[in-house]
Amino acid sequence: VQILNKVELKNTANGKTMTYTIVSDTEANFKEGKISINTPIAKGLLGKKVGEVATIKVPNGTISLEILNISM
């Protein structure tokens, strides 16, 4: 995972899937699924590969996200 990648994730706690594109601060738009490279989720995903689980500390605790797919 790196900047400008579209990442499909699965929350391992509740099974929900989500897709985010990691972008710069100026392009970030949560409604469009674009998250800033400086968010805790994006930082926790950087360098990970498909099949890996990222455990990420967020303001309300810790979440584990499995990487299902990475695309440009």
Side-chain angles (χ1 to χ4, degrees):
V1 176
Q2 57 191 1
I3 193 163
L4 299 180
N5 281 162
K6 182 181 252 186
V7 186
E8 186 180 350
L9 306 164
K10 181 171 80 173
N11 183 322
T12 59
N14 62 19
K16 286 187 179 179
T17 60
M18 60 206 91
T19 303
Y20 294 124
T21 302
I22 300 173
V23 297
S24 68
D25 284 331
T26 57
E27 295 178 75
N29 183 331
F30 195 74
K31 286 182 183 172
E32 293 178 10
K34 296 178 180 179
I35 61 171
S36 165
I37 189 79
N38 292 313
T39 62
I41 290 175
K43 286 181 179 180
L45 293 173
L46 287 178
K48 299 278 192 271
K49 294 178 174 33
V50 172
E52 287 189 77
V53 175
T55 302
I56 303 166
K57 190 170 189 166
V58 292
N60 60 346
T62 302
I63 58 171
S64 292
L65 300 172
E66 180 182 353
I67 300 170
L68 301 176
N69 190 31
I70 302 170
S71 58
M72 288 301 254

